[in-house]
Amino acid sequence: MTADLLTWLETAITAREEAARKAAVVCGCHPPVPAWSFRDGDGPTDGRILVVDDPHPGVKRKISRRWNGSYEGLFMAQHVVLHDPESVLRRCAADRKLLKLHQAVPDHGRYSEPECPDDCDGQHTGPPVCMACRDYAGDPLQAPCQTLLAVAEGYGWTEG
């Protein structure tokens, strides 16, 4: 299950990264601008999602259409801004660090280094363990650990 979970998570994280990078592309003549803000108010230029440091501030884009003025529209716009490409890419990078930290390694009893210790006989009969997680006695926990399962749940994993 651990290999399936990691493959699934890699695919899910990569899909979100690609979507965030595509959403950050403003034009072909400047680097991507991944941060957005919301201008609230009742003025003619308010109620819009704006690209932070937009290299072409006068260009009309769908992202800068005026919201419908309802509370639902306001809440949707605020939600979209909180999940701008910059924040999605940060979250993906943090989740990749968690995947690396909580990777499965062969069970060496009380050892859980990615490489076998010098005195290892090469016989690994137990299931893989999490490289980082331990129980109260200091023994490694079986992989996938609860941390990895929680990260996967955030991406929609429902198996096991």
Side-chain angles (χ1 to χ4, degrees):
M1 177 174 135
T2 302
D4 292 343
L5 175 67
L6 290 175
T7 300
W8 185 89
L9 262 171
E10 282 292 332
T11 301
I13 293 171
T14 299
R16 280 162 179 78
E17 286 171 331
E18 288 173 3
R21 285 188 185 101
K22 286 178 184 175
V25 175
V26 175
C27 60
C29 57
H30 293 90
V33 184
W36 302 337
S37 65
F38 180 69
R39 183 182 297 160
D40 193 9
D42 296 324
T45 60
D46 293 332
R48 300 177 188 275
I49 294 177
L50 305 170
V51 176
V52 175
D53 297 326
D54 189 344
H56 306 290
V59 175
K60 298 256 186 237
R61 287 186 205 77
K62 287 184 180 179
I63 194 170
S64 61
R65 280 190 320 190
R66 184 169 174 75
W67 291 88
N68 64 12
S70 69
Y71 285 117
E72 294 84 5
L74 171 66
F75 298 148
M76 282 187 278
Q78 290 170 336
H79 173 77
V80 167
V81 166
L82 288 174
H83 296 86
D84 68 358
E86 186 174 54
S87 65
V88 171
L89 291 171
R90 270 194 320 269
R91 179 76 244 176
C92 289
D95 289 343
R96 285 192 188 282
K97 288 177 184 176
L98 286 172
L99 265 61
K100 185 176 180 182
L101 180 64
H102 292 275
Q103 65 182 302
V105 295
D107 183 10
H108 298 286
R110 296 182 73 83
Y111 301 105
S112 61
E113 294 84 16
E115 300 292 329
C116 293
D118 291 337
D119 60 347
C120 178
D121 63 3
Q123 301 299 313
H124 308 290
T125 57
V129 295
C130 175
M131 188 168 74
C133 293
R134 301 285 181 272
D135 64 14
Y136 68 93
D139 294 323
L141 298 178
Q142 186 171 332
C145 66
Q146 293 299 313
T147 301
L148 204 56
L149 290 171
V151 171
E153 183 181 340
Y155 283 88
W157 177 266
T158 57
E159 297 178 32

